[in-house]
């Protein structure tokens, strides 16, 4: 599907609050930097909300203190309203699906869902981002996963809330866009769609932080890998309805200075999860993923909805970097515009 360049100029822009500064940094200056850079909305990150609530209420607020978190969410909404920012989504809702019936983990997951629904109402947002679980202790049955997500969708539906399901490239059951799309189809609810992500897509099908090259090993070699990746992107464009894409998250990745161990770390995080947390710059800032190709594939569906910058830039060594919020947010907006320009420049091949 050819990309109509004229349709790229009105794409709405968003920025994740977890992608500027640290969780311990005050939230208001982050919001001011995001708004000043020209972004129209934020993804409200739960760790940022938790930290803001503790500061606002002068006590240590816990993740299950929903009354306090709702008070804080209302205050965040007020700040965003003053700055002209929409709260697009609350994120990231993790390790929800796949737990055994009657288990403590399943009960906790649904208790969290009810609490987060309250926070959504207080924040004035209508969308919840759910990442494909990375727990090793859940079922990998797509039917069971879909059943849980269907129950969550039905919990959200009376409020007219939506569920955006994202493939996390280190997920234990659905690391690719195609797998989460299969699950969303099985869920079969009008209020369930996809959160697609340039990093998660390229990171699950093209790149690998555990190889010396940073690129996945393929039995057929590099050419075969590239061919398979192009075929996957063409399939995404051809098979996913644009209305089922709720938003696109954008970031690149640094090639790690040394190949990661294939083992899980002390927290149980898989290699791609560690890579995701600290090695994700904005596009055109030192990364190596085929970000333009993924973006063109998403645009090839006809999608012209929210583009959201979700960056975790710990520098090339992943150890962290210091920057001024305003300049960093402006650079992110320039990166987003450059990404669209690259897509427009290459539109003739249809993405």
């Amino acid at each position: 599907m050819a990309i109509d360049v004229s349709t790229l100029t009105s794409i709405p822009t968003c920025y994740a609050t977890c992608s500027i500064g640290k969780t311990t940094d005050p939230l208001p200056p982050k919001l001011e930097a995001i708004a000043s850079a020209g972004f129209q909305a934020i993804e409200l990150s739960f760790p940022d909300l938790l930290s803001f609530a503790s500061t606002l209420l002068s006590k240590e607020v816990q993740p299950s203190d929903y009354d306090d978190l709702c008070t804080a969410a209302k205050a965040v909404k007020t700040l965003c309203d003053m700055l002209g920012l929409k709260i697009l989504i609350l994120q990231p809702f993790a390790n929800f699906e796949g737990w055994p019936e009657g288990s403590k983990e399943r009960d906790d997951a649904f208790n969290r869902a009810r609490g987060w629904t309250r926070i959504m109402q207080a924040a004035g947002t209508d969308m919840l981002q759910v990442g494909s679980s990375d727990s090793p202790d859940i079922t990998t049955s797509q039917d069971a996963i879909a059943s849980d997500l269907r129950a969550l969708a039905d919990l959200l539906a009376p409020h007219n809330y939506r569920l955006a399901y994202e493939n996390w490239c280190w997920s234990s059951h659905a690391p690719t866009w195609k797998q989460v799309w299969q699950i969303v189809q099985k869920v079969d609810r009008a209020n369930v769609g996809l959160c697609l992500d340039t990093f998660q897509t390229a990171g699950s099908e093209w790149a690998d932080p555990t190889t010396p090259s940073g690129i996945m090993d393929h039995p057929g070699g590099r050419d075969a890998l590239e061919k398979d990746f192009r075929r996957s992107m063409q399939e995404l464009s051809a098979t996913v309805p644009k209305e089922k894409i709720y938003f696109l998250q954008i970031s690149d990745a640094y090639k790690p200075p040394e190949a990661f161990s294939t083992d899980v770390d002390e927290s149980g995080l898989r290699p791609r999860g560690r890579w995701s947390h600290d090695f994700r710059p904005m596009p055109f800032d030192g990364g190596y993923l085929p970000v333009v190709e993924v973006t063109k594939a998403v645009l090839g569906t006809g999608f012209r909805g929210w583009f959201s910058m979700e960056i975790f830039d710990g520098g090339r060594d992943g150890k962290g970097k210091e920057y001024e919020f305003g300049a960093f947010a402006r650079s992110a907006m320039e990166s987003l515009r450059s990404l669209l320009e690259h897509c427009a420049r290459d539109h003739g091949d249809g993405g």
Side-chain angles (χ1 to χ4, degrees):
M1 178 179 180
I3 297 171
D4 181 350
V5 178
S6 67
T7 65
L8 303 184
T9 59
S10 58
I11 286 175
T13 59
C14 180
Y15 196 104
T17 62
C18 53
S19 296
I20 188 166
K22 305 178 183 68
T23 301
T24 52
D25 289 327
L27 183 60
K30 296 183 185 182
L31 299 178
E32 291 165 9
I34 291 167
S36 294
F39 289 94
Q40 298 158 274
I42 62 164
E43 296 181 49
L44 179 57
S45 173
F46 187 81
D48 284 325
L49 177 64
L50 190 63
S51 177
F52 177 72
S54 295
T55 300
L56 179 72
L57 300 174
S58 302
K59 65 178 183 179
E60 188 172 353
V61 176
Q62 299 300 316
S64 59
D65 291 341
Y66 294 116
D67 288 344
D68 290 340
L69 289 166
C70 286
T71 297
K74 290 177 182 177
V76 174
K77 182 180 187 305
T78 298
L79 289 170
C80 287
D81 287 346
M82 291 171 60
L83 293 167
L85 289 169
K86 171 187 174 70
I87 301 179
L88 179 67
I89 194 164
L90 180 65
Q91 62 104 318
F93 196 60
N95 289 321
F96 168 76
E97 73 279 29
W99 298 106
E101 289 280 353
S103 66
K104 181 172 63 176
E105 292 86 356
R106 181 180 172 83
D107 289 345
D108 172 71
F110 278 91
N111 284 335
R112 285 190 291 121
R114 286 184 281 271
W116 280 48
T117 301
R118 290 180 56 199
I119 295 171
M120 291 172 68
Q121 186 171 14
T125 186
D126 68 350
M127 189 157 42
L128 178 68
Q129 182 210 48
V130 180
S132 56
S133 178
D134 63 344
S135 172
D137 302 319
I138 63 166
T139 181
T140 57
S141 162
Q142 284 195 350
D143 288 337
I145 296 292
S147 177
D148 285 347
L149 293 173
R150 193 177 302 120
L152 178 56
D154 291 346
L155 188 153
L156 297 173
H159 306 279
N160 293 316
Y161 292 166
R162 295 178 292 163
L163 187 166
Y165 196 44
E166 179 184 12
N167 60 298
W168 285 349
C169 64
W170 63 98
S171 170
S172 55
H173 73 90
T176 69
W177 74 264
K178 189 172 183 178
Q179 288 167 315
V180 290
W181 173 230
Q182 289 169 341
I183 291 167
V184 165
Q185 289 174 286
K186 286 178 178 289
V187 173
D188 192 26
R189 288 291 187 269
N191 64 330
V192 179
L194 297 173
C195 163
L196 295 178
D197 185 304
T198 58
F199 168 83
Q200 307 294 357
T201 298
S204 62
E205 299 185 50
W206 186 87
D208 184 349
T210 69
T211 66
S213 68
I215 298 169
M216 289 176 64
D217 290 329
H218 190 290
R222 177 67 180 269
D223 287 347
L225 173 68
E226 298 291 353
K227 184 177 180 179
D228 284 353
F229 184 70
R230 285 195 299 271
R231 186 183 297 116
S232 176
M233 294 302 94
Q234 290 164 356
E235 184 178 359
L236 191 162
S237 292
T239 60
V240 179
K242 63 183 180 181
E243 64 272 12
K244 277 297 186 180
I245 302 172
Y246 288 169
F247 68 115
L248 173 66
Q249 290 181 323
I250 296 161
S251 67
D252 204 333
Y254 296 118
K255 178 182 173 294
E258 294 183 6
F260 284 8
S261 166
T262 57
D263 297 330
V264 300
D265 67 10
E266 60 276 2
S267 69
L269 196 59
R270 292 176 172 81
R272 281 184 169 90
R274 301 196 297 275
W275 187 40
S276 174
H277 283 196
D278 297 306
F279 291 84
R280 287 171 60 179
M282 61 189 74
F284 316 113
D285 194 28
Y288 73 110
L289 299 184
V291 172
V292 173
E293 288 77 1
V294 177
T295 306
K296 287 169 59 183
V298 175
L299 290 170
T301 67
F303 173 77
R304 297 295 185 272
W306 291 95
F307 273 39
S308 183
M309 301 297 283
E310 191 192 39
I311 304 157
F312 299 102
D313 190 349
R316 290 182 179 276
D317 60 3
K319 295 180 180 179
K321 61 189 287 187
E322 297 296 326
Y323 50 80
E324 193 271 320
F325 289 173
F328 194 74
R330 288 192 297 273
S331 294
M333 178 57 79
E334 291 169 7
S335 173
L336 193 156
R337 288 172 177 159
S338 182
L339 177 62
L340 289 173
E341 288 170 4
H342 276 75
C343 291
R345 187 182 308 153
D346 301 334
H347 78 281
D349 65 7

